[in-house]
Amino acid sequence: MPGLNRRDFLMGPAAGLVLASCGRRPAVRREALVSVVRRPDYTQALYGDLRRVVSEHCLKDGLHVRGKRVLLKPNLVEFEPDSPINTHPLLVHAALEAFRELGADVFIGEGPGHRRNTLDMAEAAGYFETIPRFEEIFTDLNLDCVAAVRLARPHSRLQSIYLAQSAMSCDLLVSMPKMKTHHWVGATLSMKNLFGTVPGGVYGWPKNILHWAGIPGFIADLYHTLPGRFAIVDGIVGMQGNGPIQGTPKRAGVVVAGRDLAAVDATCCQIMCIDPHRIEYLKLAVGNVAELLRSIHQIGESVESVRTCFELIPEWSGIRQS
Amino acid sequence: MVSLLEFQNPDGGWPYQRGGPSWTEPTAYALLALVAQKSAAEPFARGLRWLHAAQLPDGGWAPQRAVRQSTWMTAVAALLGPAALGTDAYLRGIAWIVRQTGEETSLPSRVQRFLTGNAQTDPGWPWFPGTSAWVSPTALSMLALRKAARCVASAQILARLDMGAECLLQHACSDGGWNYGAARALDYDAHSYPETTGVALLALSGRDTPAIRKACGWAQAQLARCRTSEGESWLRLGLLAHGQLPSDSAPPARPPRTVQNAALAVLASAAVEGRNPFLE
């Protein structure tokens, strides 16, 4: 990308410092607390679930939300309210209430990759109906102010990227994906969901620059670049087969949450009977997947008790966990 | 029109949504809508000043001030034509558009596609330089070049228009319309979208093939069930361009939620009344 100006250049080293402090391959990974909650349906019980989960991570995992600006980033993909494409609005509202009760200033944002009319899509997905005054707290990340960020030690072919300012400036970015298989990367979870912070207004629909840059590498780049994060994965009804759009519903009956997005995604993979070692973006992001798995401290349900194998298209049969 | 003027930023440009920064796309569409309405001289002049200032030295337009890369939005700006933009700025914009192609038709990519047995496609236009061609930027660039061809004698422009049309036809979905530009992914058929089908049909105005007639049929069927103001507007514009907008079609029902969609609704209504700034 040509012509970074002085301001960008000053932002670049800051991003680089963040990356350096995270370390691409830390010598010792900190323990990653991952919550697995069994929840078979989208019911009011989700509000209690999310309150417990977020509180637990505040108490045991150093999550600070009081007085913080929290961005909930669901996954909105298509106008298919009866299909498990989009993050369910009830889960998003339950998260919103949970963070608000703990004193956070919460807003919602998303920048879909294929369709331009985000608010219309949110309406079709039931967000207006479920979340009071939705339009007032929603930011279309595709059309947001943008910030140029230099990627220090990138895994993709990009050296810099424009990102939605709301995602860069919030105190806590909560990635809220749908648990889905994905025909380009195997599984789309909380890390892949970060693609929605890349502004379509700059790169278009689809955000094809990420394909040319290398999707797994760019997922790893975003994992290292975006500030404070938390993940809440909608695995109550996920998608299997030819995801992320044309797959079939898969009732997994779980919500998975945690501060370390890689740990959350690795846990989701295991629930889906997918081998995390074979997910390229996990390898790029953390270096040593075995070490990542050893660092996970599971709370709530065990993976074994909720494991349910997601169907894979033939091209991805090699990632099946044996 | 009142709502469009209310949204104009103090800097003269228009945001996508109230309170946002000015972007090239909603500014250019708002100005086109003002042209269609033949009104509001002062806001028009301020908008044009913003647009002039947003043009980059390479002749293209960046999406917004914070971005220093010309993109597909150049095509939307160029739709305003030389009378509004001034001949020099306009021609530099057109030259930028002519220089752009999808990366999949670059020489290295063509060689790679040949070696891997993948089909070659005609060059279209990308959203962002260095990436693949997609339906919307290809259609918008064709609309800009169609206008340019009326005032610039250029075989290159005519050739790009023909290749752009072929590119669009090569990317039609099996159901008849267009989605963003991937009709199949891993051997699975993808579905068409109303907005991309509408803008592709508009860009293919004046051409008649069985594929275009099939697309018109798909677009007519979508008119009543479309769920976005943008989709409704592009479908109407596209069908009208082929004389296929049903005379009894219901007026647009969806509220525009962005400035560019509000402007598109104005432009579609103006086209129905016989004034179509995309094709005039």
Side-chain angles (χ1 to χ4, degrees):
Chain A
M1 186 174 302
L4 286 179
N5 67 12
R6 189 161 162 246
R7 186 166 144 257
D8 304 331
F9 203 73
L10 291 171
M11 281 194 71
L17 285 174
V18 171
L19 179 61
S21 64
C22 290
R24 192 179 290 176
R25 295 178 188 208
V28 181
R29 280 194 76 83
R30 68 182 282 274
E31 181 182 84
L33 202 64
V34 177
S35 301
V36 178
V37 179
R38 193 190 298 272
R39 179 54 55 203
D41 291 300
Y42 297 99
T43 65
Q44 295 297 312
L46 269 174
Y47 290 85
D49 293 340
L50 268 288
R51 202 176 297 126
R52 271 193 306 279
V53 165
V54 176
S55 299
E56 200 157 23
H57 282 267
C58 287
L59 282 172
K60 299 180 180 173
D61 203 19
L63 181 66
H64 300 293
V65 301
R66 182 166 301 282
K68 305 289 186 187
R69 193 156 163 74
V70 174
L71 168 61
L72 305 182
K73 197 277 176 202
N75 187 210
L76 284 170
V77 183
E78 269 293 348
F79 289 83
E80 306 290 345
D82 299 324
S83 163
I85 291 180
N86 307 313
T87 306
H88 199 285
L90 201 65
L91 185 75
V92 178
H93 190 224
L96 183 140
E97 292 288 315
F99 282 106
R100 268 189 185 159
E101 282 174 24
L102 289 167
D105 174 18
V106 190
F107 67 117
I108 302 169
E110 162 66 320
H114 291 161
R115 305 302 291 263
R116 293 196 56 171
N117 297 287
T118 313
L119 280 170
D120 294 308
M121 204 151 57
E123 184 179 30
Y127 279 67
F128 281 66
E129 204 178 319
T130 307
I131 301 172
R133 303 169 77 173
F134 174 77
E135 216 167 339
E136 292 173 26
I137 56 170
F138 182 79
T139 298
D140 187 340
L141 300 181
N142 281 328
L143 311 178
D144 197 13
C145 294
V146 301
V149 179
R150 193 153 62 91
L151 301 170
R153 296 196 291 164
H155 294 278
S156 70
R157 296 188 193 97
L158 295 177
Q159 300 300 313
S160 62
I161 187 80
Y162 291 103
L163 293 174
Q165 183 69 53
S166 298
M168 291 302 293
S169 61
C170 67
D171 298 310
L172 184 69
L173 172 58
V174 183
S175 180
M176 299 192 68
K178 197 78 169 168
M179 185 183 282
K180 293 191 278 192
T181 51
H182 192 286
H183 59 206
W184 298 131
V185 290
T188 174
L189 297 159
S190 69
M191 291 167 66
K192 169 71 172 64
N193 187 41
L194 299 176
F195 268 26
T197 63
V198 177
V202 175
Y203 296 108
W205 292 260
K207 301 163 187 182
N208 185 234
I209 192 165
L210 310 182
H211 290 238
W212 285 92
I215 297 176
F218 190 70
I219 294 173
D221 288 344
L222 282 178
Y223 171 77
H224 287 296
T225 301
L226 285 162
R229 296 146 310 174
F230 193 74
I232 302 173
V233 181
D234 177 1
I236 296 173
V237 180
M239 180 182 282
Q240 62 184 354
N242 187 29
I245 297 174
Q246 291 184 300
T248 57
K250 174 67 177 176
R251 190 172 287 275
V254 289
V255 174
V256 185
R259 284 182 68 190
D260 185 332
L261 272 56
V264 169
D265 287 4
T267 302
C268 290
C269 285
Q270 292 180 307
I271 291 170
M272 301 161 80
C273 304
I274 289 172
D275 185 351
H277 295 91
R278 297 179 193 176
I279 297 298
E280 185 65 19
Y281 62 79
L282 274 177
K283 285 193 279 185
L284 290 172
V286 304
N288 187 334
V289 176
E291 195 177 324
L292 169 71
L293 294 174
R294 280 195 299 275
S295 75
I296 295 173
H297 176 199
Q298 200 82 45
I299 54 175
E301 305 293 333
S302 69
V303 166
E304 293 70 28
S305 70
V306 294
R307 190 192 307 272
T308 178
C309 294
F310 279 48
E311 283 174 15
L312 301 170
I313 55 174
E315 290 83 350
W316 285 97
S317 58
I319 64 172
R320 174 70 76 208
Q321 194 158 35
S322 49
Chain B
M1 283 316 295
V2 171
S3 64
L4 273 181
L5 296 180
E6 281 177 356
F7 278 75
Q8 189 171 25
N9 278 332
D11 65 8
W14 272 265
Y16 281 104
Q17 287 161 326
R18 190 186 295 277
S22 297
W23 288 73
T24 296
E25 186 192 28
T27 299
Y29 278 132
L31 292 173
L32 279 169
L34 293 178
V35 169
Q37 295 280 330
K38 297 184 167 58
S39 64
E42 195 273 335
F44 185 83
R46 286 202 299 128
L48 265 187
R49 278 198 294 275
W50 185 93
L51 208 55
H52 274 297
Q55 190 173 24
L56 295 178
D58 65 5
W61 269 267
Q64 56 153 277
R65 290 282 169 84
V67 180
R68 282 163 317 284
Q69 169 67 58
S70 298
T71 72
W72 62 281
M73 289 193 192
T74 302
V76 188
L79 285 168
L80 282 158
L85 293 173
T87 304
D88 177 61
Y90 177 70
L91 291 179
R92 287 193 299 117
I94 291 298
W96 186 89
I97 294 169
V98 170
R99 290 197 299 272
Q100 305 305 309
T101 58
E103 188 63 20
E104 78 284 5
T105 49
S106 66
L107 183 60
S109 293
R110 292 183 84 87
V111 170
Q112 187 184 30
R113 291 174 82 89
F114 174 77
L115 294 174
T116 54
N118 286 315
Q120 304 286 349
T121 59
D122 283 282
W125 280 266
W127 294 98
F128 193 89
T131 63
S132 304
W134 299 92
V135 167
S136 290
T138 296
L140 290 167
S141 298
M142 288 174 63
L143 287 166
L145 292 191
R146 283 172 65 106
K147 275 195 172 183
R150 285 193 228 118
C151 56
V152 182
S154 164
Q156 197 180 8
I157 288 178
L158 296 177
R160 287 301 309 270
L161 281 168
D162 285 340
M163 288 187 281
E166 284 305 314
C167 177
L168 287 180
L169 293 170
Q170 287 156 0
H171 287 87
C173 295
S174 61
D175 60 17
W178 284 268
N179 63 9
Y180 51 91
R184 285 175 73 76
L186 293 181
D187 289 335
Y188 292 86
D189 283 329
H191 306 302
S192 299
Y193 298 163
E195 58 273 19
T196 39
T197 300
V199 72
L201 280 173
L202 182 60
L204 292 167
S205 168
R207 298 172 193 263
D208 183 22
T209 70
I212 291 171
R213 287 194 288 275
K214 184 179 177 185
C216 285
W218 189 89
Q220 285 172 333
Q222 291 301 311
L223 262 182
R225 62 179 89 133
C226 182
R227 285 181 283 192
T228 69
S229 167
E230 185 195 16
E232 287 178 335
S233 296
W234 283 123
L235 284 175
R236 283 152 65 85
L237 284 160
L239 285 168
L240 204 60
H242 293 271
Q244 296 295 317
L245 181 67
S247 55
D248 60 348
S249 66
R254 295 280 165 181
R257 286 188 158 122
T258 60
V259 167
Q260 108 268 17
N261 286 352
L264 280 171
V266 170
L267 291 165
S269 296
V272 170
E273 290 163 13
R275 300 185 310 280
N276 189 341
F278 288 102
L279 299 179
E280 287 163 2

